[in-house]
Amino acid sequence: MASRIPCPHCGLRPKEEFTVKGAALQRPEAEAGAQAWHDYVYLRDNPRGAYEEYWHHTSGCRRWLVVARNTVTHEVASCRDAAEVKAVTA
Amino acid sequence: MSSYRLEKGGQIDRTVPLNFTFDGRAMRGFRGDTLASALLANGRQLVGRSFKYHRPRGVLTAGAAEPNALMTIGSGGRTEPNSRAPMQELYDGLEARSQNRWPSLDHDIGAINGLLSPFLSAGFYYKTFMWPAKFWEKLYEPVIRKAAGLGRATHEADPDAYEKCWAHCDLLVVGGGAAGLAAALTAGRTGTRVILADENATPGGFLLSETATLGGQTAAAYVANILAELGSLDNVTLMPRTTVFGWYDGQVFGAVERVQKHVASPDANQPIERLWRIAARKAVLATGSEERPLVFGGNDVPGVMMAGAMRTYLNRHAVAPGRKTAIFTTNDSGYALASDLEKAGIEVAAIIDSRRDAGFDFAGNAHVIRGGFVSNVLGRSKVEGIEIWREGQSERIAVDNLAMSGGFSPVIHLACHRGGKPRWSNEHAAFLVPDGLKDLHVAGAAAGVWGINPAMRSGCEVSVAALAELGISASPCNIPEIEGAVASLSAQPLWCIPGIRAKAFVDFQNDVHLKDLGLAVQEGYGHVELAKRYTTNGMATDQGKLSNVNAIGLLAEARRISPADVGTTTFRPFYTPVSFGALAGAAVGKHFQPVRKSPLHDWAARRGATFVEAGLWYRSSWFPLPGETHWRQSVDREVRTVRQNVGLCDVSTLGKIEICGADAAEFLNRVYCNGFLKLPVGKARYGLMLREDGFIYDDGTTSRIDENRYVMTTTTAYAAGVMNHLEFCAQAVWPELDVRLASVTDQWAQMAIAGPKARTVLQQLVDEDISNEAFPYLAAREVSLLGGRLRGRLFRISFSGELAYELAVPADCGESVADAIMLAGKVHGICAYGVEALSVLRIEKGHVTHNEINGTVVPADLGMEKMVSPTKPDFIGKHMVHREGLVDPDRLQLVGVVPIDPAHSFRTGAHILQKDAAATLENDEGYVSSSCFSPHVGSTIGLALVKRGASRHGEEVQIWNGLRNEFAMGRLVSPVFVDPRSEKLHV
Ligand SMILES: [Zn+2]
């Protein structure tokens, strides 16, 4: 009912303020090829345990975040701004 | 005995009598009574009928686990069924009614349903599902529904208010008994933020039922002192009447506070219940233990009660259980009850202790039978005696009530709510909390620590440990000298009892008895999860608080394994039932969801508009004139007026997003499938936005207001979704682009002015020249209005296919500008038109909306394949839109459809079949996505998505609506019914 998400901009906030998009996959390069695009658009892991997802702080700072949480315990390991995650991985 | 109330003692206030009714009969109790104690004091032992067999039932417990004394309380909109009588504080004027009986509680015809019991045994539902369905509908279902049931909810609206709140603390203490009070005091004295929540009106737990003294004071006085100290501390919040019902991730606890369930006339300015979410850094679980019933024949006859409950009613409420009591126990607690009963002058005929070697040295008068069992209760609707089994011998004694204690189960529900499994302890003969709990510390009886002194010590220690994790050092509060308490509550488990003849109940609320469990094992459903569902044991609203452990013990014995190997079923929130009112909070009636009103809402209302809900918005749908009695009259007139003269439509609800920054053009180029890099300043362009999988997401126009400033419009329905999507693209996908987004939907009042006379009317307000040369089709510029008094944004775009403009002005100027336009247009025959006419106009022009862009459509399906840029290196949807399945020539394509006979009609949703095909779904070739009556064409027209539709113009088809059994012959035509060469747009 009531997990809380540690938004890096707003602090610990109730999850009702957020919208979940799903797996935090990096969008492939334009030339990545059909297989890479098919994987990105359609294939998802469904892990029991650690998972990274995009969450949008819709009713807060309106930033997109990458939330690393455990799908069993719902524990949040980290919560980073998606732009920073992209900057690090790019 | 007419009254069971003792002449003295208890914590009731005899100076405040309270009148109440039970099944219409006037009764009297005192302040400090619960409904259960007051009923017992009035000699009312039979208080309800059981679920399946309609057996007479009495009060069994003095707490939240009560399975029998469920009543309907209150009247009118305040009627609340299934209220647990021991949890209901008595108030003056309380109305209580028994449930599940007819015609009356004392003479219940349903009891003959006991004769149906072979049909109602374990696995009944599963077995009858195998029987013919017609018997189910006509016979079994109605019979079962009538025979089995709880109270009925009222259909009247609840007059009371509810609210939801958050609370935050360092330490939450759940339960205010001996352990909880010690934990709260220890923490409270450090100055840290503490919340103590207790489900009863007065915290204190079983201390309030004790005759032991603490530091020379009565237990009740001791509790009052501690509560006074806690109450004096600013950092401590006491929350009585508050049930913590769930432990959730993020260390959040759900709780419900019954703010005014105990008062005769609720204060209208206060909620009746409050739903709390308590974010606690650490928590102490001090929820005590639940006494277990014993499973013997007739253990449900009114007059059989849990020993601890009997002690509560005796010591706290000064209510005698009867004249002559027997006590059946597996542990020492039965002796404390015996001693208290004898002190109150009530005869204890016998203490039947299942332990052969019980060491307790009882000093009272009662006869102690060691190694004995109560096998059966004599009597049907009240206890007349008991049958005692000892060493193969059976003996009967006459008593009018019986107390039972089968040991104690720690109340560990909350500790298991986050997936941990309880573990069986042979030492405690009970399930204890899961291993590895984080941030939740367990104290007192909930941890299997029995006795007042050990529980208080445990509360202190656990509190100190929890605070230490927060870096706070605390010293344990002092524990007083305790006298007169029973030292040990340890029990030998007792599951199977010899000599049973009558029905022996395991789950009182669901009427599951011993033989049901036996049958489950015999028929192969001995696994705990299977047995639960096969017998429904533990599935009532009490969730098996009294029955689960006994069921597990009985299953274990039947299967000759340990309870540890049987395991338990899953504990889930809520600990006790929570009202829908509390969960809904303030979100009821007009507050159920927000209402969005356009800046022109009141303007439209003044002009008599009829409104339609569109998501949260209320949009004006048509503007009836005097004499118009049917909506079609108004809509047809509005459409004709726009085509012939000019009309004004409120389009403020369209989403409006400002996009700024040095890379704004590049950004737009990547989120639309068509090109945006070359859009000049002062121009608008239609854009098609795809999803990454290639399907169309939304459409709209985007205008370049300035070099690095654009304003995008979205459809009304997708405004929020598009904003979220753009933010995702800007932040997560291409954060390197310099782009800023702002939703400005609510900042602008926007009007469409459409029709051949639109320019003539609008030029009267706009200061700049808006001739076709100066302001051509797709021009989009800031303009000066009304002689420089106002600035707005003017767009030459058209949804209707007519010469048209959209004018946006600051929201608060919307009404005056709309009035000014209507005034200027009066001599030109202007009218206001609503979304119905807007829809007709756009269908006539073949423009799509989300009726067509329904998530299954790609640009080519709409004939817009040329809008998909072949040259852009990347945009959302580029990599999927040309997949094999999305370029299949057999795909459904946009096409117009008209009836062959203009007098015929069809509806949206109707299917398209080939001319001679049989009306079956196999022959389905597509469907009508939009339809309306077209004044321009003079018949119903439609847009449809049909297989290869674009190449089938002119073909005759059938239009079939199988749901409504409607049928019309039609013809596929171009989807553009009006001005196919779009000449009107350029005049
Ligand atoms: Zn935030």
Side-chain angles (χ1 to χ4, degrees):
Chain A
M1 174 174 103
S3 57
R4 292 181 297 164
I5 303 300
C7 175
H9 310 294
C10 310
L12 207 52
R13 302 295 307 168
K15 75 160 182 237
E16 288 79 3
E17 294 182 356
F18 297 81
T19 316
V20 196
K21 184 178 174 72
L25 304 175
Q26 290 300 319
R27 190 170 183 269
E29 294 298 316
E31 310 76 27
Q35 191 57 48
W37 277 99
H38 177 266
D39 287 1
Y40 170 68
V41 172
Y42 289 112
L43 297 190
R44 295 292 180 273
D45 292 331
N46 185 16
R48 180 184 163 82
Y51 201 37
E52 287 201 341
E53 289 165 320
Y54 282 123
W55 287 58
H56 186 221
H57 199 178
T58 316
S59 303
C61 60
R62 295 203 64 92
R63 292 297 296 180
W64 280 91
L65 310 167
V66 174
V67 176
R69 71 178 181 100
N70 187 302
T71 58
V72 181
T73 65
H74 304 297
E75 264 175 305
V76 176
S78 70
C79 179
R80 296 164 295 163
D81 190 284
E84 285 163 30
V85 174
K86 175 78 196 281
V88 170
T89 44
Chain B
M1 197 185 294
S2 61
S3 173
Y4 284 63
R5 183 80 72 184
L6 300 172
E7 278 174 16
K8 56 184 172 55
Q11 293 145 48
I12 47 168
D13 186 347
R14 287 178 167 80
T15 66
V16 185
L18 302 171
N19 295 306
F20 71 103
T21 62
F22 178 66
D23 284 341
R25 204 172 304 170
M27 295 186 181
R28 177 174 276 201
F30 295 110
R31 179 186 286 168
D33 263 325
T34 64
L35 177 55
S37 70
L39 285 166
L40 291 168
N42 282 272
R44 190 74 221 192
Q45 285 195 315
L46 166 57
V47 296
R49 291 273 171 178
S50 76
F51 187 63
K52 278 201 306 201
Y53 305 125
H54 286 233
R55 286 172 68 99
R57 290 281 168 83
V59 176
L60 185 65
T61 73
E66 178 60 38
N68 289 346
L70 306 179
M71 330 222 144
T72 299
I73 292 177
S75 56
R78 290 202 171 100
T79 302
E80 184 151 328
N82 312 326
S83 301
R84 291 155 299 157
M87 296 303 288
Q88 176 63 53
E89 290 171 60
L90 196 67
Y91 56 80
D92 203 46
L94 184 149
E95 297 170 46
R97 275 159 292 146
S98 59
Q99 301 179 162
N100 203 26
R101 80 291 192 265
W102 189 83
S104 77
L105 182 57
D106 294 304
H107 307 281
D108 177 62
I109 283 175
I112 60 160
N113 283 346
L115 301 175
L116 288 174
S117 65
F119 294 101
L120 298 171
S121 64
F124 165 73
Y125 282 93
Y126 299 94
K127 287 169 184 167
T128 49
F129 278 135
M130 313 287 277
W131 299 348
K134 62 179 179 186
F135 287 122
W136 247 106
E137 279 170 37
K138 299 230 162 68
L139 185 60
Y140 310 128
E141 176 95 15
V143 167
I144 298 162
R145 289 263 173 251
K146 206 162 193 170
L150 294 161
R152 283 171 195 276
T154 175
H155 288 276
E156 288 180 51
D158 188 335
D160 294 315
Y162 296 79
E163 71 180 22
K164 295 184 183 183
C165 304
W166 278 89
H168 300 262
C169 63
D170 297 311
L171 188 73
L172 168 67
V173 179
V174 185
L181 287 173
L185 196 59
T186 297
R189 284 176 178 169
T190 67
T192 194
R193 292 177 308 163
V194 177
I195 291 176
L196 172 62
D198 190 277
E199 65 181 344
N200 291 300
T202 311
F206 202 74
L207 282 177
L208 301 176
S209 306
E210 270 292 347
T211 43
T213 58
L214 288 81
Q217 294 175 301
T218 65
Y222 178 80
V223 168
N225 281 341
I226 292 196
L227 290 176
E229 180 177 347
L230 288 171
S232 73
L233 298 171
D234 288 342
N235 56 307
V236 176
T237 306
L238 293 175
M239 295 178 70
R241 302 187 177 98
T242 302
T243 302
V244 178
F245 58 71
W247 182 34
Y248 300 92
D249 51 291
Q251 193 62 5
V252 173
F253 292 81
V256 65
E257 179 186 3
R258 288 169 293 275
V259 184
Q260 298 195 87
K261 283 287 184 187
H262 61 291
V263 297
S265 346
D267 177 347
N269 296 315
Q270 286 287 321
I272 199 92
E273 288 185 332
R274 211 176 258 135
L275 189 81
W276 287 96
R277 278 179 285 178
I278 304 172
R281 294 172 72 198
K282 302 287 169 187
V284 170
L285 190 68
T287 40
S289 61
E290 197 73 71
E291 194 169 27
R292 286 199 293 268
L294 288 161
V295 183
F296 51 86
N299 61 347
D300 66 328
V301 174
V304 180
M305 192 184 276
M306 302 309 308
M310 195 179 280
R311 212 164 162 228
T312 295
Y313 292 122
L314 179 75
N315 294 336
R316 187 169 174 186
H317 303 290
V319 176
R323 285 176 169 166
K324 196 174 179 187
T325 305
I327 300 169
F328 180 21
T329 187
T330 63
N331 61 80
D332 292 352
S333 76
Y335 297 94
L337 171 63
S339 157
D340 290 351
L341 284 168
E342 289 189 350
K343 263 183 234 156
I346 296 151
E347 185 188 348
V348 180
I351 302 171
I352 302 99
D353 191 330
S354 66
R355 298 170 299 180
R356 203 177 279 276
D357 52 356
F360 196 89
D361 188 16
F362 183 61
N365 298 320
H367 175 42
V368 177
I369 300 171
R370 295 186 203 280
F373 307 92
V374 173
S375 302
N376 296 289
V377 166
L378 310 171
R380 285 188 63 84
S381 58
K382 61 178 201 267
V383 175
E384 288 161 9
I386 54 171
E387 203 171 73
I388 300 169
W389 182 281
R390 185 169 181 272
E391 293 180 346
Q393 302 287 316
S394 175
E395 174 196 353
R396 291 182 173 201
I397 60 170
V399 290
D400 62 4
N401 68 94
L402 172 69
M404 59 177 167
S405 178
F408 295 82
S409 301
V411 176
I412 56 173
H413 299 62
L414 290 177
C416 303
H417 280 173
R418 290 173 66 183
K421 283 283 180 192
R423 59 194 160 83
W424 175 257
S425 160
N426 272 327
E427 182 199 338
H428 296 86
F431 284 97
L432 300 181
V433 296
D435 288 324
L437 290 176
K438 229 181 115 203
D439 301 325
L440 183 68
H441 298 255
V442 190
V449 177
W450 317 123
I452 301 172
N453 182 300
M456 292 190 76
R457 267 184 214 295
S458 159
C460 292
E461 285 162 15
V462 157
S463 187
V464 168
L467 293 171
E469 290 177 2
L470 297 173
I472 299 166
S473 92
S475 38
C477 69
N478 43 319
I479 313 277
E481 191 77 23
I482 294 160
E483 282 177 46
V486 170
S488 162
L489 296 181
S490 66
Q492 282 175 7
L494 172 61
W495 314 120
C496 288
I497 290 170
I500 294 174
R501 289 182 289 109
K503 274 200 175 74
F505 283 88
V506 183
D507 185 325
F508 292 80
Q509 204 188 338
N510 259 359
D511 263 359
V512 178
H513 56 101
L514 185 59
K515 283 188 179 158
D516 291 325
L517 284 175
L519 195 63
V521 172
Q522 188 186 320
E523 297 191 346
Y525 297 94
H527 186 279
V528 64
E529 293 283 5
L530 295 177
K532 169 181 172 173
R533 285 153 184 85
Y534 202 64
T535 63
T536 73
N537 191 88
M539 291 174 74
T541 58
D542 67 351
Q543 297 178 75
K545 286 185 178 60
L546 299 177
S547 64
N548 275 350
V549 178
N550 277 337
I552 288 162
L554 289 162
L555 288 171
E557 232 166 58
R559 294 168 58 196
R560 293 183 172 69
I561 56 177
S562 154
D565 299 320
V566 174
T568 63
T569 53
T570 309
F571 290 91
R572 289 192 179 87
F574 308 141
Y575 171 64
T576 48
V578 176
S579 70
F580 281 111
L583 295 171
V588 292
K590 66 177 182 178
H591 296 296
F592 177 66
Q593 59 180 16
V595 170
R596 294 186 80 181
K597 288 182 177 172
S598 144
L600 292 174
H601 183 92
D602 293 344
W603 176 87
R606 273 204 306 280
R607 291 182 168 266
T610 301
F611 290 93
V612 61
E613 282 183 56
L616 301 179
W617 290 103
Y618 280 71
R619 300 188 68 178
S620 40
S621 44
W622 61 85
F623 294 80
L625 288 183
E628 290 174 349
T629 53
H630 191 276
W631 66 273
R632 268 281 307 283
Q633 293 174 301
S634 311
V635 172
D636 289 358
R637 171 185 50 77
E638 290 170 14
V639 170
R640 282 197 189 95
T641 305
V642 171
R643 296 261 181 248
Q644 286 159 18
N645 299 324
V646 57
L648 187 158
C649 183
D650 177 14
V651 294
S652 306
T653 60
L654 292 179
K656 296 178 271 296
I657 299 169
E658 289 217 1
I659 300 161
C660 310
D663 296 321
E666 175 63 25
F667 180 74
L668 286 167
N669 209 45
R670 294 187 194 182
V671 296
Y672 279 128
C673 72
N674 49 323
F676 267 82
L677 284 180
K678 291 177 188 155
L679 179 67
V681 173
K683 278 285 190 185
R685 180 170 291 174
Y686 177 72
L688 211 47
M689 198 177 281
L690 306 188
R691 309 190 308 214
E692 201 72 275
D693 63 5
F695 292 96
I696 301 174
Y697 180 49
D698 199 45
D699 68 347
T701 55
T702 291
S703 306
R704 192 168 197 172
I705 300 294
D706 212 333
E707 184 60 27
N708 291 329
R709 188 183 195 86
Y710 294 78
V711 59
M712 173 189 284
T713 62
T714 75
T715 59
T716 299
Y718 278 52
V722 168
M723 183 68 189
N724 295 350
H725 171 65
L726 295 185
E727 284 172 331
F728 179 77
C729 292
Q731 297 168 21
V733 182
W734 301 301
E736 65 278 9
L737 295 183
D738 175 13
V739 59
R740 293 287 178 275
L741 304 160
S743 167
V744 295
T745 303
D746 294 284
Q747 275 68 27
W748 297 93
Q750 194 150 322
M751 294 152 261
I753 300 99
K757 297 175 183 170
R759 181 182 297 127
T760 315
V761 172
L762 206 52
Q763 186 68 78
Q764 296 176 59
L765 278 79
V766 180
D767 300 334
E768 290 92 344
D769 178 11
I770 57 166
S771 66
N772 193 40
E773 297 69 37
F775 204 86
Y777 181 57
L778 293 177
R781 283 204 295 269
E782 202 173 286
V783 292
S784 169
L785 298 165
L786 300 164
R789 272 180 285 183
L790 186 66
R791 293 193 74 77
R793 287 173 178 174
L794 188 64
F795 310 88
R796 191 166 160 195
I797 51 181
S798 175
F799 200 40
S800 57
E802 296 299 323
L803 167 66
Y805 301 81
E806 285 187 16
L807 176 64
V809 297
D812 56 346
C813 303
E815 290 200 33
S816 4
V817 171
D819 280 337
I821 294 171
M822 293 304 285
L823 195 63
K826 198 166 182 187
V827 294
H828 301 287
I830 196 171
C831 79
Y833 67 102
V835 287
E836 279 298 332
L838 184 75
S839 177
V840 173
L841 290 161
R842 72 95 190 163
I843 295 171
E844 287 182 337
K845 182 61 184 172
H847 280 154
V848 295
T849 64
H850 280 291
N851 278 30
E852 286 73 36
I853 311 172
N854 59 14
T856 69
V857 163
V858 296
D861 301 338
L862 303 178
M864 294 185 183
E865 61 273 24
K866 292 215 176 82
M867 286 191 71
V868 182
S869 165
T871 54
K872 289 199 284 185
D874 195 7
F875 58 86
I876 299 286
K878 176 183 170 82
H879 311 284
M880 287 280 151
V881 72
H882 296 300
R883 279 178 296 157
E884 193 181 346
L886 302 188
V887 296
D888 183 341
D890 263 0
R891 285 183 64 80
L892 305 186
Q893 294 170 335
L894 183 71
V895 65
V897 59
V898 291
I900 303 252
D901 178 347
H904 286 173
S905 169
F906 54 81
R907 293 176 211 253
T908 303
H911 287 259
I912 304 292
L913 309 172
Q914 285 186 20
K915 187 182 171 189
D916 301 316
T920 66
L921 280 179
E922 288 72 35
N923 293 332
D924 180 28
E925 301 230 300
Y927 56 93
V928 177
S929 53
S930 299
S931 65
C932 66
F933 177 81
S934 165
H936 177 79
V937 176
S939 75
T940 295
I941 61 169
L943 299 179
L945 291 162
V946 178
K947 268 185 195 171
R948 300 177 308 282
S951 58
R952 291 169 68 178
H953 294 183
E955 182 179 328
E956 222 173 284
V957 293
Q958 304 176 71
I959 309 168
W960 170 52
N961 187 330
L963 286 177
R964 292 174 180 268
N965 206 21
E966 291 170 350
F967 204 81
M969 290 306 290
R971 190 182 304 283
L972 300 180
V973 295
S974 157
V976 185
F977 297 88
V978 161
D979 189 23
R981 297 168 66 181
S982 291
E983 285 161 350
K984 291 180 172 196
L985 301 178
H986 299 278
V987 293

